[in-house]
């Protein structure tokens, strides 16, 4: 069964410390849903073409359905409510190839 992935890119981050509450709640929600952070906060980025060298987060789940359910979970919805103003995020859930 193909894995599922969350891919988040933050083109605009005015004050990274203001994401602390979101990061804590999101981390708990992801772990509870069986997600594993593969790349993320503080990782190096070498951006090309229209890429932006800001925060990129990659999280793996055992299936696409599990990734979708984790995004819809009450725990993750609580985390999303804590994203402060001044942040732009491009978030996608994608299915792996195998």
């Amino acid at each position: 069964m193909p894995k599922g992935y969350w891919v988040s890119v933050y083109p605009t981050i005015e004050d990274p410390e203001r994401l602390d509450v979101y990061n804590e709640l999101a981390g708990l929600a992801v772990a509870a849903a069986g997600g594993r952070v593969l790349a993320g906060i503080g990782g190096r980025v070498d951006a090309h073409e229209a890429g932006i060298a800001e925060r990129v987060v990659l999280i793996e789940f055992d299936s696409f359905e599990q990734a979708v359910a984790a995004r819809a979970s009450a725990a993750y919805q609580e985390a999303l409510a804590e994203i402060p103003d001044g942040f732009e995020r491009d978030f996608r859930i994608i299915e792996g190839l195998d």
Side-chain angles (χ1 to χ4, degrees):
M1 174 183 302
K3 295 186 184 212
Y5 296 89
W6 285 9
V7 181
S8 300
V9 178
Y10 293 74
T12 304
I13 299 178
E14 291 180 3
D15 182 1
E17 289 77 34
R18 290 181 48 220
L19 279 175
D20 288 348
V21 174
Y22 164 78
N23 289 336
E24 182 177 339
L25 293 174
L28 293 171
V30 165
R36 295 167 298 282
V37 178
L38 300 180
I41 302 166
R44 298 187 311 172
V45 176
D46 183 17
H48 298 272
E49 287 80 38
I52 297 169
E54 277 291 356
R55 178 201 301 232
V56 176
V57 179
L58 177 62
I59 299 173
E60 179 182 68
F61 293 87
D62 289 336
S63 70
F64 179 78
E65 291 75 18
Q66 185 181 9
V68 170
R71 169 67 172 75
S73 72
Y76 191 69
Q77 294 304 305
E78 181 182 347
L80 281 177
E82 295 298 331
I83 293 180
D85 292 336
F87 289 84
E88 181 183 348
R89 182 169 85 141
D90 180 354
F91 178 90
R92 295 156 195 240
I93 300 173
I94 61 172
E95 183 175 52
L97 298 176
D98 58 3

